[in-house]
Amino acid sequence: MTESNPSISERKKGLRQKMLAMRRALSANETESRSFSLKENILSLPEYKNAKKIMAFLAMKGESNLDGFIRQALLDGKEVYIPVCLPERQMEAGRLIDMEHFEKGPLGLRNLPAGYEVTSPESLDLVLIPGLAVSQEGIRLGMGAGYYDRYLARVPFEKRVAALWDFQVIPDIPSEPFDQKIAKIVTDKSVIVTKRG
């Protein structure tokens, strides 16, 4: 999906650069302590306690790290799925069996080994979503490729939960019609129910 309005596109681009710089400025120690708090806040969610199938994500450098949370979810007997990127900016939910067996993907990313089980977006009970920023209205700023917007169009609104650092919750994000809104935001410091527009 191309961003139609150049001024919105430019504003998003500038905001992405600013948020990426803030994320990259985090030290390894700070990332680790924030990750622990984020994990505890996700585990406290009623949506987590009631979920059988959860979609999480494997963090890129500086991104809100869910590795500890994923390990706990597997111990709790949850089915955990992670995004697998497909051609034409599509993605699917591939089942993660453990945190030890990955194939090395581009940019050093961890990929699921071949032969993983897939589930549909509609069958997931909780979808944890990364982002560069999110507003209290539930507007999310991603990396700009549109993978999540396409995927979330098939996920019921109340199951969409952004998981990021507290400084990534900002007052205003420019939005376009294809931007999928988020129902709840969980950070290392708080849980926010969005003001759905």
Side-chain angles (χ1 to χ4, degrees), residues 49-121:
K49 293 179 172 132
N50 298 327
K52 291 185 175 68
K53 290 184 173 187
I54 294 167
M55 186 172 183
F57 56 88
L58 300 173
M60 294 188 281
K61 185 169 167 42
E63 200 168 42
S64 42
N65 193 311
L66 300 186
D67 285 17
F69 163 75
I70 292 170
R71 287 190 178 92
Q72 187 60 54
L74 291 168
L75 283 173
D76 289 345
K78 310 287 188 184
E79 286 184 29
V80 179
Y81 296 81
I82 60 168
V84 178
C85 293
L86 303 172
E88 296 178 31
R89 298 188 179 186
Q90 301 291 327
M91 69 183 198
E92 64 186 5
R95 188 165 181 189
L96 181 71
I97 302 302
D98 60 49
M99 290 293 282
E100 278 68 56
H101 300 94
F102 294 107
E103 290 178 358
K104 198 156 190 172
L107 308 172
L109 296 175
R110 296 169 288 176
N111 285 349
L112 289 177
Y116 56 82
E117 178 188 329
V118 175
T119 197
S120 70

Side-chain angles (χ1 to χ4, degrees), residues 133-195:
V134 68
S135 73
Q136 295 202 350
E137 280 69 41
I139 296 163
R140 173 184 165 271
L141 181 73
M143 297 294 283
Y147 284 97
Y148 269 95
D149 285 320
R150 289 177 181 84
Y151 193 82
L152 291 175
R154 295 175 57 196
V155 174
F157 174 75
E158 66 279 2
K159 296 178 180 181
R160 306 173 191 172
V161 176
L164 25 67
W165 306 135
D166 70 298
F167 62 79
Q168 294 177 289
V169 181
I170 62 176
D172 183 49
I173 296 175
S175 71
E176 295 173 89
F178 54 77
D179 289 328
Q180 297 293 322
K181 286 196 166 185
I182 304 299
K184 196 173 266 192
I185 305 161
V186 59
T187 77
D188 47 308
K189 297 200 174 153
S190 63
V191 175
I192 302 162
V193 178
T194 63
K195 303 169 191 158

